[in-house]
Amino acid sequence: MSDATRECPMCAMEVDASADACPVCGYEAPRQKTSMQVAAWVMVLLLLWPALEGLMYLIELL
Ligand SMILES: [Zn+2]
């Protein structure tokens, strides 16, 4: 599986799938950022949950 490649979204070149950054243009794949974004969304949902429940209560009053 060492010959696995992926297409660079910046320069569309086939680069090594295990490479952290594209050797052609230096674009870094946002792998770790994605998990950070998921964690951030979970935090936002937890923070907004009381507001959402209040909104549901208001909708039921209508
Ligand atoms: Zn590239």
Side-chain angles (χ1 to χ4, degrees):
M1 293 292 282
S2 61
D3 59 345
T5 59
R6 60 183 167 82
E7 192 175 275
C8 173
M10 290 295 287
C11 62
M13 289 288 292
E14 291 290 321
V15 299
D16 198 311
S18 61
D20 288 332
C22 173
V24 180
C25 67
Y27 173 82
E28 290 183 37
R31 258 184 230 162
Q32 292 173 341
K33 275 185 184 173
T34 304
S35 59
M36 282 296 290
Q37 279 180 341
V38 169
W41 274 110
V42 169
M43 287 293 290
V44 167
L45 278 175
L46 285 173
L47 288 170
L48 288 180
W49 193 249
L52 284 173
E53 284 199 331
L55 196 66
M56 295 293 270
Y57 178 72
L58 284 174
I59 286 168
E60 278 183 25
L61 285 179
L62 291 173

